């Protein structure tokens, strides 16, 4: 009697449930979107016409070019800030190093679209910096258009490059550098020939994240673009104009965005495949003291970068306390803006917390189960789940939301309310944060822990709840907090799915900015920043390696 | 207490045969040890009994009843893990009570049984400590207490002493055995330390590459190994080459006829002898009738306290190691001195010359 298959047990059932959830909430919507891009909007027949249109019409080609342009330059800018910052903080004794990291992390998690409109308040046509220089007769460059978007991307995404590179730099075995010096390299040669190549995998991972996020970003080009359109704003407005009809052009454009992200990721994988360095931590790098003008310059650079990157958030908080009369700032300070968000849109605040909390409850439960299946079960199914956890990173919110609309607003699932769709959207888009953090926690727990519990008579679920969950709790909490931060700040998908009863804070902010209601937007943003800050504080409490918790 | 029958167990990991046709019978209350080199399948067999994975073939019976259909959490088989697997987030007391709570034992009984078993393993004063406040040896005893407090039918231990230092290992060895005897639990013990196996067990079962080589009492394993692998793995062996004339084998080094067997070539038979049965005498010695004399030269003598280890080389270039009571007359000999190595005919063992060749005389 030869039995090849494992006896089905509790975890087999769990694996099945997870697969069903992922297929329904992730794969079907994406496949629906993919299929839709091959459908003719009028005749509903299969066609390649949509792609032909995208690749021939100047409007779309320009959008593609613009997207790549701001994507590349934003990534480049992020690298140019992030790499030196990482090197300086990893290799020199810096005053306020923890402060720099903390600010970088705050920049990373602050609501993504705040940057864009805060810069408008500073450098827009009526911005205070513009006005200040205008009064003394100097014309400042406008923030609108491509360079503004690049600036915001650079300042928004550099923390990814910074934190990843810094982590890698701190793990580079110093012996390599010593050996290079011993073989006659100057410090600069040593850096370019040894250190930089060794941390290249980390840099490129950080850069790829910047690139993928830049490509997918909707809020920044929507607010700052004016005439400058990127694929995500084109997809969104195409969706809006096709409303009621079949959103074929919106999804075709979205597919192009996904393709770009996937190509970038594959290219990076290919490059990295040939560069695998086992790192051993036997000889940790040491930090040196700088003196004189170098010391001043390095301190100036590091603190300058994180402060400028934090500027939007500070401006937003400051603005929220300015006295307003309707959309107009009337001078002096006051709480009118808070009063107005409380009177006009208390449901936005309530909804944001409600949806994000509901999503995070699901994220927490599923993260724990999924990470167990991924780490402890080596089956084809668990491999597939592991792979699917990569997908949400690559799919822009606009695409996921259109997939939800086409899948759940009609047919079999028809009639699911917007609120539920939003919770599901946040859940599936932010699930990977929870899973990743929980998975790395679980890898630290020896399997014999659960086996001991089972051996003592605990059924699998009991063993999981009584032994595994308490042991992975820190990772689970950190992952859930990250899920919460990113869920409560979600804009692009929400804009497509929300209705009058399910408006959220990011949507309110977006609408307020479009209406020029900066005080209102600032008050909302401050509330968001506040709860993001509280979450970050708790992440710090529960994690040993602060950098990696946020990546 | 329960007897354990393991019948025809086979376990594959992909193409790797981890266990092949394992048949074992363990009487109730006895201490049964699995001994073998790393990777021979000891842990795999233990985990099969505990039910952590399914075997590809074969069955396991406890007290005559098959436990095939039972999932791991209902097998009533206690296990002490190699890394202890003490739950780090709960106290010693809660660790030990874990299995009792799963069995819905009354709270009052739980506290009594936990207190009792902690006394047995001499950890009564440590009940409220957290695991990280214990030493390795103490954690190991918590693991043991936790496994035995549920009064399992069978107790499994996977190299429970391997993470401890040598001194503690010897102390705990005796303690483990005492506790096992007092409780009378049928025990399957895994180790790759032969001394541990011989010292503790009722039965030692030597495994190699997923196959059982011999299961017997410690004395039989040592004195009457059934195959060449057992002879070399348990205790040390000298091997001497043979030459064959007619149907008769003689030692190359002395010419003495030692073995009659027509069916083998000289290279197919290995002649083994334990170092402690060799006697080294200086100069030329005439052997008694039951002894064989092998002329040799001293290569190295090391005095290691209780014993001396004498390495000699025969005229044919074979090295022989002898282990004996220290003898100043030998220790003082210069390297290269002529000696006679004496061996009793009865102490010679003959195996087919393959790695697991069976004993032929
Ligand atoms: N999960 C697994 N997947 C594949 N092969 C495995 C697995 N576990 C064990 N093996 C293989 O099965 C064989 C037996 O392994 P096992 O762990 O039982 O050895 P062992 O006798 O306990 O060794 P040790 O003394 O080192 O603990 C080995 O060849 C091992 O490589
Ligand atoms: Mg083992």
């Amino acid at each position: 009697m030869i039995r090849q298959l494992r006896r089905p047990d509790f975890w087999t059932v769990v694996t099945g449930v997870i697969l069903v959830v992922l297929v329904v909430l992730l794969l079907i919507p994406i496949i629906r979107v993919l299929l839709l891009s091959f459908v003719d909007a009028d005749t509903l027949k299969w066609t390649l016409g949509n792609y032909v249109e995208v690749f021939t019409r100047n409007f779309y080609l320009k959008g593609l070019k613009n997207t790549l342009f701001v994507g590349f330059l934003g990534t480049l800018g992020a690298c140019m800030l992030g790499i030196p910052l990482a090197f300086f903080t990893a290799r020199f004794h810096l005053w306020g190093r923890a402060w720099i990291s903390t600010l970088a992390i705050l920049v990373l998690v602050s609501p993504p679209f705040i940057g864009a409109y805060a810069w408008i308040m500073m450098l827009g046509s009526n911005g205070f910096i513009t006005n200040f220089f205008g009064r003394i007769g100097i014309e400042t460059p406008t923030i609108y258009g491509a360079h503004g978007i690049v600036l915001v991307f650079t300042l928004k995404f550099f923390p990814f490059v910074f934190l990843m590179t810094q982590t890698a730099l701190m793990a580079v075995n110093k012996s390599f550098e010593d050996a290079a010096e011993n073989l006659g390299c100057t410090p600069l040669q040593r850096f370019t020939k040894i250190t930089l190549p060794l941390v290249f995998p980390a840099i490129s991972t950080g850069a790829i994240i910047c690139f993928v996020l830049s490509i997918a970003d909707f809020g920044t080009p929507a607010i700052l673009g004016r005439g400058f359109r990127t694929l995500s704003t084109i997809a969104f407005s195409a969706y809006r104009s096709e409303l009621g009809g079949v959103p074929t052009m919106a999804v075709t454009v979205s597919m192009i965005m996904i393709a770009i992200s996937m190509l970038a990721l594959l290219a990076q994988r290919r490059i990295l495949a040939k560069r695998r360095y086992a790192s051993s931590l036997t000889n940790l790098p040491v930090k040196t003291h700088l003196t004189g003008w170098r010391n001043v310059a390095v301190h100036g650079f590091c603190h300058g970068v994180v402060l400028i990157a934090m500027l939007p958030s500070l401006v937003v908080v400051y603005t929220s306390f300015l006295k307003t009369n309707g959309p107009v700032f009337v001078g002096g300070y006051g709480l009118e803006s808070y009063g107005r968000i409380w009177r006009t849109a208390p449901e936005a605040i309530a909804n944001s917390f409600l949806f994000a909390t509901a999503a995070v409850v699901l994220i927490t439960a599923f993260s724990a189960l999924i990470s167990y299946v991924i780490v402890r079960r080596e089956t084809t199914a668990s491999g597939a789940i592991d792979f699917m956890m990569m997908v949400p990173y690559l799919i822009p919110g606009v695409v996921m939301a259109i997939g939800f609309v086409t899948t759940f607003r009609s047919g079999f699932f028809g009639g699911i309310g917007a609120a539920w769709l939003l919770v599901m959207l946040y859940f599936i888009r932010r699930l990977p944060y929870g899973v990743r953090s929980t998975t790395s926690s679980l890898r630290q727990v020896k399997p014999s822990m659960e086996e001991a519990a089972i051996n003592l008579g605990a059924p699998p679920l009991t063993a999981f709840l009584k032994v595994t969950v308490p042991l992975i709790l820190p990772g689970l909490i950190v992952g859930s907090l990250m899920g919460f931060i990113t869920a409560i700040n979600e804009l692009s998908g929400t804009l497509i799915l929300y209705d009058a009863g399910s408006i959220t804070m990011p949507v309110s902010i977006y609408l307020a900015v479009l209406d020029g209601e900066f005080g209102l937007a600032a008050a909302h943003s401050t509330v968001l920043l506040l709860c993001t800050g509280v979450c970050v504080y708790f992440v710090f409490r529960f994690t040993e390696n602060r950098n990696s918790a946020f990546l | 207490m329960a007897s354990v029958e393991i019948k025809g167990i086979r376990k594959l990991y992909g193409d790797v045969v981890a266990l092949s046709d394992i048949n074992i019978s363990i009487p109730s209350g006895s201490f049964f040890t699995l001994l073998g080199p790393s990777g021979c399948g000891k842990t795999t067999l233990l985990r099969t009994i505990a039910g952590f994975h399914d075997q590809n073939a074969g069955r396991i019976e406890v007290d005559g009843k098959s436990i095939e259909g039972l999932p791991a959490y209902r097998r009533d088989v206690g296990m002490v893990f190699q890394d202890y697997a003490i739950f780090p987030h709960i106290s010693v007391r809660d660790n030990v009570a874990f299995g009792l709570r799963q069995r819905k034992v009354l709270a009052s009984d739980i506290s009594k049984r936990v207190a009792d078993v902690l006394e047995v393993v001499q950890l009564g004063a440590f009940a409220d400590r957290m695991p990280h406040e214990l030493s390795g040896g103490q954690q190991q005893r918590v693991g043991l207490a936790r496994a035995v407090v549920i009064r399992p039918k069978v107790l499994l231990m996977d190299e429970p002493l391997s993470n401890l230092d040598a001194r503690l290992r010897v102390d705990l060895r005796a303690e483990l055995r005492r506790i096992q005897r007092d409780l009378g639990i049928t025990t399957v013990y895994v180790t790759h330390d032969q001394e541990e196996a011989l010292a503790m067990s009722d039965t030692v079962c030597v495994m190699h590459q997923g196959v059982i080589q011999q299961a017997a009492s410690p004395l039989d394993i040592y004195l009457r190994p059934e195959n060449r692998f057992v002879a070399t793995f348990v205790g040390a062996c000298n091997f001497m080459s043979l030459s064959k004339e007619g149907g008769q084998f003689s030692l190359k080094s002395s010419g003495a006829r030692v073995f009659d067997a027509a069916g083998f070539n000289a290279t197919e038979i290995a002649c083994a002898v334990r170092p402690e049965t060799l006697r080294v005498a200086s100069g030329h010695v005439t052997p008694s009738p039951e002894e064989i004399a092998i002329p040799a030269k001293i290569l190295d003598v090391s005095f290691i306290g209780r014993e001396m280890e004498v390495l000699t080389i025969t005229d044919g270039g074979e090295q022989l190691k002898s282990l004996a009571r220290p003898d100043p007359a030998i220790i003082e000999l210069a390297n290269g001195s002529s000696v006679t190595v004496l061996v009793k005919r009865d102490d010679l063992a003959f195996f087919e010359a393959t790695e697991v060749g069976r004993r032929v005389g």
Side-chain angles (χ1 to χ4, degrees), chain B residues 13 16 18 36-45 82 158-159 190 192:
Chain B
Y13 288 115
V16 180
S38 188
C40 71
K42 307 179 294 287
T43 299
T44 306
L45 181 55
Q82 182 167 357
D158 192 356
E159 308 200 32
V190 163
H192 56 237

Side-chain angles (χ1 to χ4, degrees), chain A residues 1-7 446 448-460 462-463 466-468 470-471, chain B residues 47 52 54-57 68-70 72-73 75 77-79 81 83 85-89 98-99 102-103 146 150:
Chain A
M1 175 183 65
I2 300 281
R3 260 183 285 119
Q4 294 296 346
L5 285 174
R6 217 189 144 89
R7 236 179 300 205
K446 284 177 278 182
S448 60
M449 287 297 164
E450 293 124 31
E451 286 171 358
I454 287 175
N455 180 256
L456 291 168
T462 314
K466 281 197 173 174
V467 174
T468 317
L471 295 181
Chain B
R47 293 171 58 83
F52 292 139
D54 290 343
Q55 63 269 32
N56 295 80
E68 292 303 293
L70 293 180
Y73 58 93
R75 288 210 173 174
V77 170
M79 180 145 176
F81 289 80
D83 55 7
I86 307 298
F87 306 134
H89 60 298
F98 193 97
Q102 287 309 315
R103 284 167 175 72
R146 188 177 67 177
I150 58 173

